[in-house]
Amino acid sequence: MKKSWPSLLAFVLILLVWHFIVSSGLIPSFLLPAPGQVFHSFSEMPEDFAMAFQSTLKSTLWGFFLSSILGFSLALLFSSSDFLKRAFLPFAVFFQTVPIVAIAPLLVIWFGFGESTVRASALIVSIFPVLANSLVGLSNFDAGLKELLNSYGASHRQILLKLQIPSSLPAVFSGLQVAAGLAVIGALVGEFVAGGGLGGLIDSARTQQRVDIVFAALFLSSVLGLGLTGLVRGAAQMILRWRPFFSKDLF
Amino acid sequence: MALIHAENLGKVFESRRNRETTVFKNFNLQLEPREFVTLLGPSGCGKSTLLRILGGLEKASEGSLERKFQSGSFVFQEPRLLPWKTCLENVLLPLEIKNSKVSQADHGKAKELLKLMKLEKFESHFPAELSGGMKMRNALARSLILNPDFLLLDEPFSALDETTRLFLQVEIRNLFETKPWTFCFVTHSIEEACFLSSRILIFSKDRNQLIEHKSNLPNKRKESLRDELAFFEEVKKVRHLFQTEALS
C-alpha cells in the first residue's frame, strides 16, 4: 500500500482536474465526458460491461498464456541451435515490426469473426517480448559458473537446467511483464476487427457517439492490463521468496 | 607413480588478428601423490593457464601431458556458488551432476564437509547471506564432496581480507596434512606459497622453465610457524629466487 499511494493520489488528482475541465465547459462533454458520467455508464449497462470484460479477459489470458509457453519454448530451441535461431528469428522480428492493426484484417480472413482471431492477435503481439527477453536471458549467464559445471563434467542438458534457465528468470519475467500489457492491446485490436469483448464494445459505442462508454471500456481494459502485469509481478515475488534467482529490486 | 607428468608443455593463444602470444613453453613438471605444489609467478605469467591445462579445462598447444589422478576438483579465484542454491545444495552440486540423484548419505557427507569448514550453522543460507571467507569455505567444501585425489586451487584467497586469508591457509594446510590428497596451488604471494607448499615451482622470466624450490619447513605446520625464524628464512630464500629468476 505504501508503494502505491503516490499513484492513487495522482489518480484522484487527475479525476479532479478532469472533472473541473468538463464541468467548467473548457471541453464539451460529448468529446470528453465527466468522470461521473463514465462511472454512471457502468451502472447503466452492467451486464454488457461484465460480459465484454469477461470475453476480453479470457482472450487476453489465453493469448498471454500461449505466448509465454511458446515464446519461452522457442527461446530454448533457438539458444540450443544457432542454425534454427538464424533461420527463424527473423520471422519473429517480422511479427514485431509489422503493426498488429495491419495484420489483424488478415487474421479475420484466416480465423473468421470471433474469439480465434482475438486470441491469435493477443498471441502475436505478446510473443516477441517473451521470446526476445528469454533468448537474452538464456545466453547471459556467468561464464565462470559454466566453467565450474564443465569441470564436474556437466552435460548440455544439465547446464541448461542448472544454470541457463535459472539465470534467465529475471529477463524472462521482464519479458512476461511487457507481454502482459501487450496481450491486452492485442486482444482489443483483434476485437476491433473480429467483434466481441471490450474492443467490440468500444467500436459499437463509437458509432453511437457514446464517448462515456468508450471511456468506461478503456478504463476496464487498463484495469485488465494492470491486473495481469501485477499478477506477473506477484509470481516473480513468490519465486523470489522461494529462492534468490534475481535481485528483489527488479520486481 | 607420478600423478601428473608433463614434457615440453607449451601454450600459445591466438588473437583475433591471427597474432600468436606464447604464454609459456618447454615446461617439464611432475607432481607426485600427496604433495603440495605451488605455482608461483607474477600476475599474468600463465600460472592459471597451466593449472587449467593440468586439470583438463584447457588444452596445451604443444608437449605431452599424462594425468593419472582419479578425480580432480577445482577451486577458483571466486567462490563460483550458484546464488539460488543454499550452502548445502552448493556442496551437493557436483554429486547432482555426477549421479543425477542425491542420497541421504550424500546429504550426511555434505553436512560433514560443512562442519569441517565450520559452516554447519549456515547450511540453509544462500551465498548472498555469507561473508567472502564463508563463501570460499563453501566452495572448498564443494570441491571435496567427490573425494578428489587431486585438488587444483587457483588463487582462491586473493580476494579475501588478510585475517580470513591466513585462517584459510591454515585450514588448507590442515587438510593436506590429514587427508591423502595432492594439492596444486596457484598464487603470487611468496608468504602464502612458503606456508602451504612442500614444493614451489617458480615461472622463469622468459617463461620457458619452472624453477623448483623444495620446502625446508617441517611437515606439520601451525599458525605460529609464521613467527618463526625458519619461516622468515624460507620466505627470504624464495623471494631471492623469485626476484632473480622470475622478475629481473
Side-chain angles (χ1 to χ4, degrees), chain A residues 144-145 147-149 151-152 154 158 162-163 166-167 242-245, chain B residues 52 73 76 80 82-84 89 93-94 96-98 126 142-143 146:
Chain A
L145 288 176
E147 190 180 54
L148 173 87
L149 297 189
S151 78
Y152 292 117
Q158 284 174 321
K162 291 187 189 302
L163 177 65
S167 304
W242 173 50
R243 267 161 203 275
F245 285 108
Chain B
R52 292 158 63 82
S73 198
F76 297 95
R80 298 193 185 182
L82 293 180
W84 49 85
E89 288 166 342
L93 181 72
E96 270 178 37
I97 291 169
K98 288 270 178 214
F126 290 103
R142 179 186 58 200
S143 73
L146 291 176

PDB file of all heavy atoms in Angstrom, chain A residues 144-145 147-149 151-152 154 158 162-163 166-167 242-245, chain B residues 52 73 76 80 82-84 89 93-94 96-98 126 142-143 146:
ATOM      1  N   GLY A 144      31.876 -18.109 -15.666  1.00  0.00           N
ATOM      2  CA  GLY A 144      32.633 -18.793 -14.602  1.00  0.00           C
ATOM      3  C   GLY A 144      31.849 -19.965 -14.038  1.00  0.00           C
ATOM      4  O   GLY A 144      32.416 -21.031 -13.764  1.00  0.00           O
ATOM      5  N   LEU A 145      30.529 -19.775 -13.891  1.00  0.00           N
ATOM      6  CA  LEU A 145      29.697 -20.873 -13.364  1.00  0.00           C
ATOM      7  C   LEU A 145      29.603 -22.007 -14.385  1.00  0.00           C
ATOM      8  O   LEU A 145      29.570 -23.178 -14.014  1.00  0.00           O
ATOM      9  CB  LEU A 145      28.299 -20.348 -13.016  1.00  0.00           C
ATOM     10  CG  LEU A 145      28.215 -19.446 -11.776  1.00  0.00           C
ATOM     11  CD1 LEU A 145      26.801 -18.918 -11.588  1.00  0.00           C
ATOM     12  CD2 LEU A 145      28.662 -20.180 -10.529  1.00  0.00           C
ATOM     13  N   GLU A 147      31.944 -22.778 -16.472  1.00  0.00           N
ATOM     14  CA  GLU A 147      33.235 -23.474 -16.393  1.00  0.00           C
ATOM     15  C   GLU A 147      33.262 -24.412 -15.188  1.00  0.00           C
ATOM     16  O   GLU A 147      33.777 -25.527 -15.265  1.00  0.00           O
ATOM     17  CB  GLU A 147      34.355 -22.436 -16.294  1.00  0.00           C
ATOM     18  CG  GLU A 147      35.723 -23.044 -16.457  1.00  0.00           C
ATOM     19  CD  GLU A 147      36.813 -21.998 -16.360  1.00  0.00           C
ATOM     20  OE1 GLU A 147      36.853 -21.260 -15.366  1.00  0.00           O
ATOM     21  OE2 GLU A 147      37.623 -21.927 -17.284  1.00  0.00           O
ATOM     22  N   LEU A 148      32.673 -23.943 -14.081  1.00  0.00           N
ATOM     23  CA  LEU A 148      32.609 -24.792 -12.886  1.00  0.00           C
ATOM     24  C   LEU A 148      31.828 -26.075 -13.191  1.00  0.00           C
ATOM     25  O   LEU A 148      32.293 -27.180 -12.870  1.00  0.00           O
ATOM     26  CB  LEU A 148      31.927 -24.026 -11.747  1.00  0.00           C
ATOM     27  CG  LEU A 148      31.654 -24.856 -10.499  1.00  0.00           C
ATOM     28  CD1 LEU A 148      32.855 -24.841  -9.574  1.00  0.00           C
ATOM     29  CD2 LEU A 148      30.421 -24.386  -9.762  1.00  0.00           C
ATOM     30  N   LEU A 149      30.647 -25.919 -13.804  1.00  0.00           N
ATOM     31  CA  LEU A 149      29.833 -27.093 -14.125  1.00  0.00           C
ATOM     32  C   LEU A 149      30.581 -28.004 -15.112  1.00  0.00           C
ATOM     33  O   LEU A 149      30.541 -29.225 -14.986  1.00  0.00           O
ATOM     34  CB  LEU A 149      28.481 -26.685 -14.707  1.00  0.00           C
ATOM     35  CG  LEU A 149      27.549 -25.876 -13.814  1.00  0.00           C
ATOM     36  CD1 LEU A 149      26.177 -25.737 -14.437  1.00  0.00           C
ATOM     37  CD2 LEU A 149      27.393 -26.494 -12.446  1.00  0.00           C
ATOM     38  N   SER A 151      33.740 -28.346 -15.277  1.00  0.00           N
ATOM     39  CA  SER A 151      34.823 -29.034 -14.561  1.00  0.00           C
ATOM     40  C   SER A 151      34.316 -30.291 -13.839  1.00  0.00           C
ATOM     41  O   SER A 151      35.086 -31.182 -13.529  1.00  0.00           O
ATOM     42  CB  SER A 151      35.518 -28.080 -13.577  1.00  0.00           C
ATOM     43  OG  SER A 151      34.748 -27.914 -12.403  1.00  0.00           O
ATOM     44  N   TYR A 152      32.987 -30.333 -13.587  1.00  0.00           N
ATOM     45  CA  TYR A 152      32.406 -31.547 -12.994  1.00  0.00           C
ATOM     46  C   TYR A 152      31.788 -32.453 -14.061  1.00  0.00           C
ATOM     47  O   TYR A 152      31.105 -33.414 -13.744  1.00  0.00           O
ATOM     48  CB  TYR A 152      31.352 -31.182 -11.943  1.00  0.00           C
ATOM     49  CG  TYR A 152      31.946 -30.525 -10.721  1.00  0.00           C
ATOM     50  CD1 TYR A 152      31.622 -29.228 -10.360  1.00  0.00           C
ATOM     51  CD2 TYR A 152      32.864 -31.217  -9.931  1.00  0.00           C
ATOM     52  CE1 TYR A 152      32.196 -28.623  -9.246  1.00  0.00           C
ATOM     53  CE2 TYR A 152      33.437 -30.621  -8.819  1.00  0.00           C
ATOM     54  CZ  TYR A 152      33.096 -29.330  -8.489  1.00  0.00           C
ATOM     55  OH  TYR A 152      33.666 -28.737  -7.389  1.00  0.00           O
ATOM     56  N   ALA A 154      29.514 -31.630 -16.495  1.00  0.00           N
ATOM     57  CA  ALA A 154      28.073 -31.436 -16.748  1.00  0.00           C
ATOM     58  C   ALA A 154      27.753 -31.541 -18.238  1.00  0.00           C
ATOM     59  O   ALA A 154      28.527 -31.089 -19.082  1.00  0.00           O
ATOM     60  CB  ALA A 154      27.633 -30.072 -16.220  1.00  0.00           C
ATOM     61  N   GLN A 158      22.283 -30.551 -18.452  1.00  0.00           N
ATOM     62  CA  GLN A 158      22.480 -30.139 -17.051  1.00  0.00           C
ATOM     63  C   GLN A 158      22.832 -28.660 -16.963  1.00  0.00           C
ATOM     64  O   GLN A 158      22.370 -27.968 -16.055  1.00  0.00           O
ATOM     65  CB  GLN A 158      23.583 -30.994 -16.408  1.00  0.00           C
ATOM     66  CG  GLN A 158      23.107 -32.393 -16.051  1.00  0.00           C
ATOM     67  CD  GLN A 158      24.228 -33.275 -15.552  1.00  0.00           C
ATOM     68  OE1 GLN A 158      25.347 -33.225 -16.066  1.00  0.00           O
ATOM     69  NE2 GLN A 158      23.933 -34.092 -14.565  1.00  0.00           N
ATOM     70  N   LYS A 162      20.508 -26.377 -14.848  1.00  0.00           N
ATOM     71  CA  LYS A 162      21.072 -25.907 -13.570  1.00  0.00           C
ATOM     72  C   LYS A 162      21.618 -24.488 -13.632  1.00  0.00           C
ATOM     73  O   LYS A 162      21.791 -23.856 -12.602  1.00  0.00           O
ATOM     74  CB  LYS A 162      22.185 -26.862 -13.108  1.00  0.00           C
ATOM     75  CG  LYS A 162      21.625 -28.207 -12.704  1.00  0.00           C
ATOM     76  CD  LYS A 162      22.666 -29.097 -12.098  1.00  0.00           C
ATOM     77  CE  LYS A 162      22.137 -30.493 -11.919  1.00  0.00           C
ATOM     78  NZ  LYS A 162      20.926 -30.563 -11.085  1.00  0.00           N
ATOM     79  N   LEU A 163      21.904 -24.009 -14.845  1.00  0.00           N
ATOM     80  CA  LEU A 163      22.487 -22.669 -14.938  1.00  0.00           C
ATOM     81  C   LEU A 163      21.697 -21.723 -15.850  1.00  0.00           C
ATOM     82  O   LEU A 163      21.272 -20.646 -15.406  1.00  0.00           O
ATOM     83  CB  LEU A 163      23.948 -22.787 -15.416  1.00  0.00           C
ATOM     84  CG  LEU A 163      24.673 -21.468 -15.641  1.00  0.00           C
ATOM     85  CD1 LEU A 163      24.825 -20.707 -14.331  1.00  0.00           C
ATOM     86  CD2 LEU A 163      26.056 -21.702 -16.248  1.00  0.00           C
ATOM     87  N   PRO A 166      17.767 -21.028 -14.723  1.00  0.00           N
ATOM     88  CA  PRO A 166      17.669 -20.171 -13.522  1.00  0.00           C
ATOM     89  C   PRO A 166      18.227 -18.765 -13.745  1.00  0.00           C
ATOM     90  O   PRO A 166      17.666 -17.790 -13.274  1.00  0.00           O
ATOM     91  CB  PRO A 166      18.490 -20.932 -12.474  1.00  0.00           C
ATOM     92  CG  PRO A 166      18.522 -22.332 -12.934  1.00  0.00           C
ATOM     93  CD  PRO A 166      18.482 -22.288 -14.422  1.00  0.00           C
ATOM     94  N   SER A 167      19.352 -18.670 -14.507  1.00  0.00           N
ATOM     95  CA  SER A 167      19.944 -17.342 -14.755  1.00  0.00           C
ATOM     96  C   SER A 167      19.033 -16.468 -15.617  1.00  0.00           C
ATOM     97  O   SER A 167      19.125 -15.236 -15.569  1.00  0.00           O
ATOM     98  CB  SER A 167      21.288 -17.459 -15.486  1.00  0.00           C
ATOM     99  OG  SER A 167      22.162 -18.265 -14.781  1.00  0.00           O
ATOM    100  N   TRP A 242      10.979 -17.773  -2.571  1.00  0.00           N
ATOM    101  CA  TRP A 242      11.407 -19.172  -2.507  1.00  0.00           C
ATOM    102  C   TRP A 242      12.935 -19.270  -2.656  1.00  0.00           C
ATOM    103  O   TRP A 242      13.611 -19.882  -1.839  1.00  0.00           O
ATOM    104  CB  TRP A 242      10.688 -19.959  -3.616  1.00  0.00           C
ATOM    105  CG  TRP A 242      11.131 -21.362  -3.799  1.00  0.00           C
ATOM    106  CD1 TRP A 242      11.272 -22.309  -2.814  1.00  0.00           C
ATOM    107  CD2 TRP A 242      11.489 -22.000  -5.027  1.00  0.00           C
ATOM    108  NE1 TRP A 242      11.691 -23.488  -3.373  1.00  0.00           N
ATOM    109  CE2 TRP A 242      11.834 -23.329  -4.728  1.00  0.00           C
ATOM    110  CE3 TRP A 242      11.546 -21.583  -6.354  1.00  0.00           C
ATOM    111  CZ2 TRP A 242      12.239 -24.240  -5.692  1.00  0.00           C
ATOM    112  CZ3 TRP A 242      11.941 -22.487  -7.311  1.00  0.00           C
ATOM    113  CH2 TRP A 242      12.281 -23.792  -6.986  1.00  0.00           C
ATOM    114  N   ARG A 243      13.461 -18.603  -3.685  1.00  0.00           N
ATOM    115  CA  ARG A 243      14.887 -18.630  -3.973  1.00  0.00           C
ATOM    116  C   ARG A 243      15.368 -17.313  -4.595  1.00  0.00           C
ATOM    117  O   ARG A 243      14.657 -16.748  -5.422  1.00  0.00           O
ATOM    118  CB  ARG A 243      15.206 -19.750  -4.969  1.00  0.00           C
ATOM    119  CG  ARG A 243      15.582 -21.014  -4.259  1.00  0.00           C
ATOM    120  CD  ARG A 243      15.472 -22.221  -5.081  1.00  0.00           C
ATOM    121  NE  ARG A 243      15.319 -23.349  -4.186  1.00  0.00           N
ATOM    122  CZ  ARG A 243      16.319 -23.985  -3.633  1.00  0.00           C
ATOM    123  NH1 ARG A 243      17.544 -23.648  -3.913  1.00  0.00           N
ATOM    124  NH2 ARG A 243      16.112 -24.984  -2.812  1.00  0.00           N
ATOM    125  N   PRO A 244      16.594 -16.875  -4.248  1.00  0.00           N
ATOM    126  CA  PRO A 244      17.062 -15.577  -4.799  1.00  0.00           C
ATOM    127  C   PRO A 244      17.596 -15.696  -6.227  1.00  0.00           C
ATOM    128  O   PRO A 244      18.785 -15.605  -6.463  1.00  0.00           O
ATOM    129  CB  PRO A 244      18.176 -15.184  -3.828  1.00  0.00           C
ATOM    130  CG  PRO A 244      18.682 -16.469  -3.275  1.00  0.00           C
ATOM    131  CD  PRO A 244      17.544 -17.455  -3.299  1.00  0.00           C
ATOM    132  N   PHE A 245      16.672 -15.914  -7.179  1.00  0.00           N
ATOM    133  CA  PHE A 245      17.094 -16.029  -8.574  1.00  0.00           C
ATOM    134  C   PHE A 245      17.496 -14.668  -9.142  1.00  0.00           C
ATOM    135  O   PHE A 245      18.216 -14.587 -10.114  1.00  0.00           O
ATOM    136  CB  PHE A 245      15.962 -16.593  -9.429  1.00  0.00           C
ATOM    137  CG  PHE A 245      15.742 -18.069  -9.232  1.00  0.00           C
ATOM    138  CD1 PHE A 245      14.645 -18.549  -8.559  1.00  0.00           C
ATOM    139  CD2 PHE A 245      16.669 -18.981  -9.713  1.00  0.00           C
ATOM    140  CE1 PHE A 245      14.449 -19.899  -8.378  1.00  0.00           C
ATOM    141  CE2 PHE A 245      16.481 -20.340  -9.539  1.00  0.00           C
ATOM    142  CZ  PHE A 245      15.372 -20.802  -8.866  1.00  0.00           C
TER     143      PHE A 245
ATOM    144  N   ARG B  52      44.896 -24.817 -15.332  1.00  0.00           N
ATOM    145  CA  ARG B  52      43.712 -25.253 -16.081  1.00  0.00           C
ATOM    146  C   ARG B  52      44.071 -26.368 -17.058  1.00  0.00           C
ATOM    147  O   ARG B  52      43.269 -27.286 -17.281  1.00  0.00           O
ATOM    148  CB  ARG B  52      43.114 -24.060 -16.845  1.00  0.00           C
ATOM    149  CG  ARG B  52      42.502 -23.015 -15.918  1.00  0.00           C
ATOM    150  CD  ARG B  52      42.419 -21.658 -16.596  1.00  0.00           C
ATOM    151  NE  ARG B  52      41.545 -21.722 -17.741  1.00  0.00           N
ATOM    152  CZ  ARG B  52      40.223 -21.633 -17.651  1.00  0.00           C
ATOM    153  NH1 ARG B  52      39.671 -21.437 -16.494  1.00  0.00           N
ATOM    154  NH2 ARG B  52      39.472 -21.727 -18.712  1.00  0.00           N
ATOM    155  N   SER B  73      39.492 -31.751  -8.681  1.00  0.00           N
ATOM    156  CA  SER B  73      38.464 -30.773  -8.340  1.00  0.00           C
ATOM    157  C   SER B  73      39.079 -29.385  -8.252  1.00  0.00           C
ATOM    158  O   SER B  73      40.125 -29.205  -7.641  1.00  0.00           O
ATOM    159  CB  SER B  73      37.831 -31.165  -7.013  1.00  0.00           C
ATOM    160  OG  SER B  73      36.606 -30.519  -6.863  1.00  0.00           O
ATOM    161  N   PHE B  76      38.260 -22.052  -7.668  1.00  0.00           N
ATOM    162  CA  PHE B  76      38.654 -20.903  -8.482  1.00  0.00           C
ATOM    163  C   PHE B  76      38.913 -19.672  -7.618  1.00  0.00           C
ATOM    164  O   PHE B  76      38.667 -19.673  -6.414  1.00  0.00           O
ATOM    165  CB  PHE B  76      37.563 -20.604  -9.515  1.00  0.00           C
ATOM    166  CG  PHE B  76      37.341 -21.727 -10.494  1.00  0.00           C
ATOM    167  CD1 PHE B  76      36.351 -22.677 -10.277  1.00  0.00           C
ATOM    168  CD2 PHE B  76      38.131 -21.848 -11.621  1.00  0.00           C
ATOM    169  CE1 PHE B  76      36.157 -23.726 -11.161  1.00  0.00           C
ATOM    170  CE2 PHE B  76      37.946 -22.892 -12.527  1.00  0.00           C
ATOM    171  CZ  PHE B  76      36.947 -23.838 -12.287  1.00  0.00           C
ATOM    172  N   ARG B  80      32.366 -18.944  -6.965  1.00  0.00           N
ATOM    173  CA  ARG B  80      31.505 -19.522  -8.008  1.00  0.00           C
ATOM    174  C   ARG B  80      30.406 -20.407  -7.417  1.00  0.00           C
ATOM    175  O   ARG B  80      30.271 -21.593  -7.752  1.00  0.00           O
ATOM    176  CB  ARG B  80      32.324 -20.309  -9.035  1.00  0.00           C
ATOM    177  CG  ARG B  80      33.316 -19.428  -9.755  1.00  0.00           C
ATOM    178  CD  ARG B  80      33.913 -20.069 -10.966  1.00  0.00           C
ATOM    179  NE  ARG B  80      34.946 -19.207 -11.534  1.00  0.00           N
ATOM    180  CZ  ARG B  80      35.637 -19.470 -12.615  1.00  0.00           C
ATOM    181  NH1 ARG B  80      35.417 -20.580 -13.287  1.00  0.00           N
ATOM    182  NH2 ARG B  80      36.559 -18.645 -13.063  1.00  0.00           N
ATOM    183  N   LEU B  82      26.332 -21.097  -6.905  1.00  0.00           N
ATOM    184  CA  LEU B  82      25.069 -20.765  -7.569  1.00  0.00           C
ATOM    185  C   LEU B  82      24.234 -19.951  -6.580  1.00  0.00           C
ATOM    186  O   LEU B  82      23.909 -20.439  -5.498  1.00  0.00           O
ATOM    187  CB  LEU B  82      24.319 -22.030  -7.984  1.00  0.00           C
ATOM    188  CG  LEU B  82      24.964 -22.887  -9.078  1.00  0.00           C
ATOM    189  CD1 LEU B  82      24.109 -24.103  -9.397  1.00  0.00           C
ATOM    190  CD2 LEU B  82      25.190 -22.095 -10.353  1.00  0.00           C
ATOM    191  N   PRO B  83      23.897 -18.691  -6.935  1.00  0.00           N
ATOM    192  CA  PRO B  83      23.245 -17.797  -5.964  1.00  0.00           C
ATOM    193  C   PRO B  83      21.897 -18.302  -5.464  1.00  0.00           C
ATOM    194  O   PRO B  83      21.459 -17.915  -4.395  1.00  0.00           O
ATOM    195  CB  PRO B  83      23.056 -16.492  -6.735  1.00  0.00           C
ATOM    196  CG  PRO B  83      23.846 -16.611  -7.975  1.00  0.00           C
ATOM    197  CD  PRO B  83      24.080 -18.059  -8.246  1.00  0.00           C
ATOM    198  N   TRP B  84      21.226 -19.138  -6.270  1.00  0.00           N
ATOM    199  CA  TRP B  84      19.876 -19.595  -5.902  1.00  0.00           C
ATOM    200  C   TRP B  84      19.923 -20.931  -5.158  1.00  0.00           C
ATOM    201  O   TRP B  84      18.888 -21.520  -4.879  1.00  0.00           O
ATOM    202  CB  TRP B  84      18.989 -19.716  -7.139  1.00  0.00           C
ATOM    203  CG  TRP B  84      19.646 -20.474  -8.255  1.00  0.00           C
ATOM    204  CD1 TRP B  84      19.663 -21.831  -8.421  1.00  0.00           C
ATOM    205  CD2 TRP B  84      20.398 -19.923  -9.345  1.00  0.00           C
ATOM    206  NE1 TRP B  84      20.372 -22.147  -9.543  1.00  0.00           N
ATOM    207  CE2 TRP B  84      20.831 -21.001 -10.129  1.00  0.00           C
ATOM    208  CE3 TRP B  84      20.736 -18.626  -9.723  1.00  0.00           C
ATOM    209  CZ2 TRP B  84      21.594 -20.817 -11.277  1.00  0.00           C
ATOM    210  CZ3 TRP B  84      21.497 -18.461 -10.861  1.00  0.00           C
ATOM    211  CH2 TRP B  84      21.922 -19.533 -11.634  1.00  0.00           C
ATOM    212  N   GLU B  89      23.197 -27.096  -0.662  1.00  0.00           N
ATOM    213  CA  GLU B  89      22.916 -27.501  -2.044  1.00  0.00           C
ATOM    214  C   GLU B  89      24.102 -27.228  -2.965  1.00  0.00           C
ATOM    215  O   GLU B  89      24.357 -27.990  -3.897  1.00  0.00           O
ATOM    216  CB  GLU B  89      21.687 -26.748  -2.563  1.00  0.00           C
ATOM    217  CG  GLU B  89      20.389 -27.216  -1.936  1.00  0.00           C
ATOM    218  CD  GLU B  89      19.228 -26.277  -2.176  1.00  0.00           C
ATOM    219  OE1 GLU B  89      19.472 -25.099  -2.531  1.00  0.00           O
ATOM    220  OE2 GLU B  89      18.087 -26.692  -1.974  1.00  0.00           O
ATOM    221  N   LEU B  93      26.158 -29.982  -5.336  1.00  0.00           N
ATOM    222  CA  LEU B  93      26.076 -29.777  -6.786  1.00  0.00           C
ATOM    223  C   LEU B  93      26.918 -30.777  -7.614  1.00  0.00           C
ATOM    224  O   LEU B  93      26.402 -31.377  -8.558  1.00  0.00           O
ATOM    225  CB  LEU B  93      26.459 -28.329  -7.137  1.00  0.00           C
ATOM    226  CG  LEU B  93      26.406 -27.969  -8.609  1.00  0.00           C
ATOM    227  CD1 LEU B  93      24.960 -27.871  -9.105  1.00  0.00           C
ATOM    228  CD2 LEU B  93      27.114 -26.640  -8.874  1.00  0.00           C
ATOM    229  N   PRO B  94      28.205 -30.985  -7.279  1.00  0.00           N
ATOM    230  CA  PRO B  94      28.981 -31.935  -8.085  1.00  0.00           C
ATOM    231  C   PRO B  94      28.374 -33.344  -8.087  1.00  0.00           C
ATOM    232  O   PRO B  94      28.402 -34.033  -9.113  1.00  0.00           O
ATOM    233  CB  PRO B  94      30.350 -31.950  -7.389  1.00  0.00           C
ATOM    234  CG  PRO B  94      30.425 -30.656  -6.676  1.00  0.00           C
ATOM    235  CD  PRO B  94      29.040 -30.352  -6.240  1.00  0.00           C
ATOM    236  N   GLU B  96      25.139 -34.009  -7.751  1.00  0.00           N
ATOM    237  CA  GLU B  96      23.940 -33.925  -8.597  1.00  0.00           C
ATOM    238  C   GLU B  96      24.328 -34.105 -10.067  1.00  0.00           C
ATOM    239  O   GLU B  96      23.617 -34.738 -10.827  1.00  0.00           O
ATOM    240  CB  GLU B  96      23.306 -32.538  -8.470  1.00  0.00           C
ATOM    241  CG  GLU B  96      22.290 -32.416  -7.372  1.00  0.00           C
ATOM    242  CD  GLU B  96      21.759 -30.993  -7.297  1.00  0.00           C
ATOM    243  OE1 GLU B  96      21.592 -30.347  -8.339  1.00  0.00           O
ATOM    244  OE2 GLU B  96      21.547 -30.534  -6.165  1.00  0.00           O
ATOM    245  N   ILE B  97      25.469 -33.517 -10.430  1.00  0.00           N
ATOM    246  CA  ILE B  97      25.910 -33.599 -11.827  1.00  0.00           C
ATOM    247  C   ILE B  97      26.395 -35.012 -12.151  1.00  0.00           C
ATOM    248  O   ILE B  97      26.060 -35.573 -13.182  1.00  0.00           O
ATOM    249  CB  ILE B  97      27.004 -32.545 -12.102  1.00  0.00           C
ATOM    250  CG1 ILE B  97      26.378 -31.155 -12.039  1.00  0.00           C
ATOM    251  CG2 ILE B  97      27.664 -32.763 -13.454  1.00  0.00           C
ATOM    252  CD1 ILE B  97      27.356 -30.021 -12.034  1.00  0.00           C
ATOM    253  N   LYS B  98      27.151 -35.593 -11.233  1.00  0.00           N
ATOM    254  CA  LYS B  98      27.716 -36.934 -11.500  1.00  0.00           C
ATOM    255  C   LYS B  98      26.640 -38.021 -11.463  1.00  0.00           C
ATOM    256  O   LYS B  98      26.616 -38.902 -12.296  1.00  0.00           O
ATOM    257  CB  LYS B  98      28.785 -37.270 -10.450  1.00  0.00           C
ATOM    258  CG  LYS B  98      30.066 -36.475 -10.610  1.00  0.00           C
ATOM    259  CD  LYS B  98      31.054 -37.157 -11.514  1.00  0.00           C
ATOM    260  CE  LYS B  98      32.279 -36.273 -11.664  1.00  0.00           C
ATOM    261  NZ  LYS B  98      32.912 -36.314 -12.940  1.00  0.00           N
ATOM    262  N   PHE B 126      21.746 -18.758   1.789  1.00  0.00           N
ATOM    263  CA  PHE B 126      22.122 -18.564   0.393  1.00  0.00           C
ATOM    264  C   PHE B 126      23.440 -17.784   0.332  1.00  0.00           C
ATOM    265  O   PHE B 126      23.769 -17.063   1.287  1.00  0.00           O
ATOM    266  CB  PHE B 126      21.017 -17.798  -0.347  1.00  0.00           C
ATOM    267  CG  PHE B 126      19.772 -18.612  -0.552  1.00  0.00           C
ATOM    268  CD1 PHE B 126      18.645 -18.426   0.244  1.00  0.00           C
ATOM    269  CD2 PHE B 126      19.732 -19.599  -1.534  1.00  0.00           C
ATOM    270  CE1 PHE B 126      17.502 -19.198   0.063  1.00  0.00           C
ATOM    271  CE2 PHE B 126      18.595 -20.365  -1.720  1.00  0.00           C
ATOM    272  CZ  PHE B 126      17.479 -20.170  -0.922  1.00  0.00           C
ATOM    273  N   ARG B 142      32.580 -27.794  -1.313  1.00  0.00           N
ATOM    274  CA  ARG B 142      32.044 -28.346  -2.567  1.00  0.00           C
ATOM    275  C   ARG B 142      33.117 -29.120  -3.332  1.00  0.00           C
ATOM    276  O   ARG B 142      32.854 -30.187  -3.888  1.00  0.00           O
ATOM    277  CB  ARG B 142      31.500 -27.209  -3.431  1.00  0.00           C
ATOM    278  CG  ARG B 142      30.943 -27.677  -4.771  1.00  0.00           C
ATOM    279  CD  ARG B 142      30.544 -26.516  -5.638  1.00  0.00           C
ATOM    280  NE  ARG B 142      31.666 -25.621  -5.886  1.00  0.00           N
ATOM    281  CZ  ARG B 142      31.551 -24.366  -6.284  1.00  0.00           C
ATOM    282  NH1 ARG B 142      30.373 -23.845  -6.481  1.00  0.00           N
ATOM    283  NH2 ARG B 142      32.627 -23.609  -6.488  1.00  0.00           N
ATOM    284  N   SER B 143      34.336 -28.567  -3.321  1.00  0.00           N
ATOM    285  CA  SER B 143      35.402 -29.218  -4.088  1.00  0.00           C
ATOM    286  C   SER B 143      35.803 -30.566  -3.489  1.00  0.00           C
ATOM    287  O   SER B 143      36.433 -31.377  -4.159  1.00  0.00           O
ATOM    288  CB  SER B 143      36.618 -28.294  -4.175  1.00  0.00           C
ATOM    289  OG  SER B 143      37.267 -28.250  -2.930  1.00  0.00           O
ATOM    290  N   LEU B 146      33.404 -34.900  -3.905  1.00  0.00           N
ATOM    291  CA  LEU B 146      33.587 -36.064  -4.783  1.00  0.00           C
ATOM    292  C   LEU B 146      34.810 -36.894  -4.403  1.00  0.00           C
ATOM    293  O   LEU B 146      35.261 -37.734  -5.186  1.00  0.00           O
ATOM    294  CB  LEU B 146      33.713 -35.605  -6.244  1.00  0.00           C
ATOM    295  CG  LEU B 146      32.456 -35.039  -6.900  1.00  0.00           C
ATOM    296  CD1 LEU B 146      32.765 -34.541  -8.305  1.00  0.00           C
ATOM    297  CD2 LEU B 146      31.342 -36.060  -6.965  1.00  0.00           C
TER     298      LEU B 146
END
